[in-house]
Structures are given as C-alpha cells and as structure tokens.
Amino acid sequence: MPPWNPLVGHLYFCYKITLKSPTDAHPQYLPGMARRELPDLGPVFYLDTWPFGPQMLVVASTEGLYQISQSHSLPKHPGLRYFLRPIADGVDLVTMEGDLWKLWRGIFNPGFSAAYLMRLTRGIAEETEQFCRNLEELTQGQALFRMKDLTDNLTMDVIGRVVMNAQLGSQVQSNPLVDGLRMQVKWCSFGADANPLKRFNPLRPIVHWYNSHRMNEYVTRVIDSRFAELSSVQGQPEHASKSIIDLVLTAYLSDHPSRKLPDMDQTFKRFTINQIKLFLFSGHDTTSSTVCYIFYTLATRLEVRVQVRAELNSVFGLDTSKTASLVMTNPPLLNRLPYTTAVIKEVLRMYPAVSSTRIGEADFDVVDEAGRHFPTQDFLVWDVVQGIHRDPAYWSRPDDFVPERWLAAPGDPLHPIKGAYRPFSHGPRNCIGQELAVMEMKVIMALTARQFDITLGYEALDRANKSKGVRKVLGERGYQLTTLIRPELLCLARLDLHDKLPKLLALLHVFKQSVDTFQVVNAGDNSVQILCSRTKRTIAQNSIREPIIVPGS
C-alpha cells in the first residue's frame, strides 16, 4: 500500500497527490494517480483516510472486481443506502439485497430490454428535438452557458417519457417532480460530513419530508392514471404499452385480473413509486454527464467529429431536418452506427460517470493476481472504474481517445480485454438502464452532431474566476468535479449555414497544406455539397471525406 503514517494514515500521501490536480477534481482520480506515482503499487491496496473518510480497500483489477461483484457480490455500502433513503424511501434497486432485489429486478428487467426500448424511441427523439430548439435559441446570443444544465433537463424529460409516459416539460418550464427531486438531492448526505453543522442539520428532515410529499404525489397521480387506463383496455392489443411503467402495470394486471383501481396492492404501488424516483435520479444525471463529455470530445477532436458526421450522413442522409422523423419511424437505423457507438463507448471508458462502494464481510478476502489476500471486513470496498479504465495493463494507449479500439478484431492490440470495461458494472447487479442510456446518446448525437459546433468556454471561465494553479487532469480541461461528475463549462455555437461557404473557403486556405482536394457539387434545395479530401497527418491519419452542406448562391 502507499506510504503510511501512524498519525495521519494516508492523508499526507493523498494530499501530495491532489496537489497535482485542480482542487475540485473528483476523488475517483486519486487511486489511478497514486499508482502513477508508485509504479509498483498493485491494483488492489488499502487507503486510510480517517478521520475524514472511512478506511477503504481500493479494487481496480479485472480479477478483483469479478470477485466482489460477480463470484461473491458484496452488499452496497451503508452510506449509499443513507444517501438514497430520502429519494427512494429505503426500497431501491441499488441497495436492495437478496430475494427482494431479485423480485423487483425481475419486474423491471423487461422494460429496459433493448427490444422493448426500440418501441420508445419516438419519445426520446421528440424530447431531443426540444433540446435542439433550446440550443438554437441560446446560440443567437454570445453569453456562455453551462451545457450540463441543458442536458440535465433533457435527460430528465427523456426518463419521464420512457419510464412513465409523462411529458415532464422541464426543458421549457418548472415541474414539481423535477424541482422536488433536485432539491431533495441537494439536501442528501452520506452521513459522513466533516462539518457537524451540515451533518446534523435540523432542517434536513423537514426538507426531505416536504420534497418526498411533492414527488410521491406527482408519481402517484401518474401511476393511478396509467393503471386506470390500462385496466379499462386490458387485453386489447391496439392499446400497447407506451412506457416501462405501462409494461410493469400490464404484467401486474395479468397476474391480478380482478384488481381494479383503487385496489392496487399498496406494497406494490409503494415499491413502484420509489423505483420510478430512483430511475429519474440515477438515470438522468449519469447520462447527462456523459452527453456533456460527448460534446467535449466532438469539440476537441476534429478527426472524431468528421467521422461521426460522415457516418450520420451515410445512414440518415444529408438533409438533417429529416433525422428525427427517421429515428421515430425506423429506430433500427440506430444499430447501423458502429463508429458513433464506438465514440460513446470510448467516452464512457475515459470519463466513467460513477464508481461503486461496497461493504466488506468477515471471512471474505480479495485475492489479487499475485495471490496476496486482502481481508475486507470493516472496510469500504471501492470499485474504482476510473482506475481500471486508464490502466496500461488492460488498455493500449489508455490516455488517448481511440474509438477504433471498439472496432478492432480479437487479437488486435487495441481490442479490449474482457472484464476491463465497466461503466455499467458487471454481473447480475449491473446497471439496469444501460441499454436506455446508450440508445439515448445515439439519438442525441444523431440530432445534434451535424447541427451544432461546440466551442469550449474554459478560457473565459478562467478570466472570470481569475483561476490559477493546475487546471487539467491527465492533460484534459474537461474533468470530473468533486460536487458533480461533469465537464466544467461548455459554450455552444450553432453552424451558421448562411455564411458557411466563405468561412469554409478561408478554412481551406488556412489548411492548404493539409487539404488535398475539394469539390463543389450541386446538392439541390438551393444548396451545394463541398467534399473535402484530407489525407495529411496534421488533420487525420486516414483519408476522410467530409460532406458539408452550404447554401447555394
């Protein structure tokens, strides 16, 4: 383990490590940076941060993570249960154990299957269209704005549509369910705050009660409405389910044909309400963060942006105004985006949204590849996804953004090693919403990647905040924060098609040493298509032909 001091444990070592990162960098970078500092430190080691944190066992190897999540799934840490209780009343799929967890996971699994979600893409596309309209309005001005605020609202509305068949409308107005959930999260605690005034705030129970009442009242109305409608049309195929909760309630009615509103089993209803709130919380923030990193990637990596746009053009055509309708009417088109999917996977590898904490057990040791035993009793066992995703033992060029690794054949040095990719965890308790998250990201990329150019606002932010000191993590300005896992700030600029041609010609002049040829082709609809062939290494390693649509003269 790292150098340990009998008085301060590993606190001084951690302090020295964190000096090399921005002060607001997320702690999940720490284990990986510790291993970079100490090359002989293995992927399983103890970390003593008492009294500011629990004593923990860091696990960042494929074998170790298999042991704690698959061969012997350790229970989630009590701190996580404490944090989620005000949101899901202590009965949530994240912290449930045993037969109760199996029952409710089985109830919701069918609704999160890829086949069923394909039927719900219309709602995702419609909410993303509203997101695009909001971006278009914002790009009319020059003010910077936080992209995460917009993506939070988008993903919240998508979860509302997919899970409840409810149009929350948080992208255009206030919503009591969304407002209550956000306020509830702000007042949540893991029960280990160093500040006693924050840890024992007497207002917290009152705030939690008020927000729980608001959220439960809203979700109850939705469930009652869906239950009443489904009860009245039971057995009529033309009234197929339109959301995950519809599927759950339809199955419930099939098992209880005599049930009529208001006779729904109250235990079933309570558990269902709490799972919906959990999905809204856990599903919207993680996906929102990843969408921000996708935009960050498209803004900072020209060759990725070019190839993503080329693939979208080949699948959806050059008329971007038809993309949403194509997604709605022909959802399987989303399965014809291998490079776009590879970009999403690589974003999830480099910027995993979450890690997992579990509690150790008596007589259970983690055994590393060298055969060393690490007892887990009384330790927080930390499943460090960020650490394994950047480990050169498992990844070729771990700090480089290489979507091609997800297209490489087995045997290729780039091909991922089994068990090393874990953004959604592995085993029976993996993320139930992973298919929805990836599908949502594909739809968002399909509708935005060709419509908008992203401009990062870090320099303006630095000037405004008079920022000093270290500003990058692992060479990136976009890094995960202590308070929220997200890129720090993004500014968006729309593709101004009305003056695209002169700008493009100027661009070609600037890159005349990099652009071999370009060709202007009449594309109809009062526009032209300019095909640029870039083959120089200063632009991309491979030959790329990027079609760009501009207005005709």
Side-chain angles (χ1 to χ4, degrees), residues 46 365-368 371-375:
Y46 291 108
D365 297 355
V366 173
V367 183
D368 70 4
R372 295 176 296 184
H373 285 249
F374 294 81

Side-chain angles (χ1 to χ4, degrees), residues 1-2 10 13-14 27-35 41-49 54-62 64-65 68 355-358 366-369 372 374-376 379-388 391:
M1 67 178 180
H10 291 126
F13 172 78
C14 293
Q28 74 167 345
Y29 287 112
L30 179 62
M33 296 180 71
R35 295 193 62 204
L41 182 65
V44 182
F45 59 91
Y46 291 108
L47 204 57
D48 180 8
T49 60
Q55 293 181 318
M56 62 187 75
L57 176 64
V58 172
V59 182
S61 70
T62 56
L65 292 175
I68 67 174
S355 59
S356 174
T357 57
R358 302 168 184 264
V366 173
V367 183
D368 70 4
E369 284 79 350
R372 295 176 296 184
F374 294 81
T376 65
F379 283 92
L380 180 154
V381 181
W382 190 4
D383 174 345
V384 186
V385 179
Q386 175 68 235
I388 195 171
D391 191 339

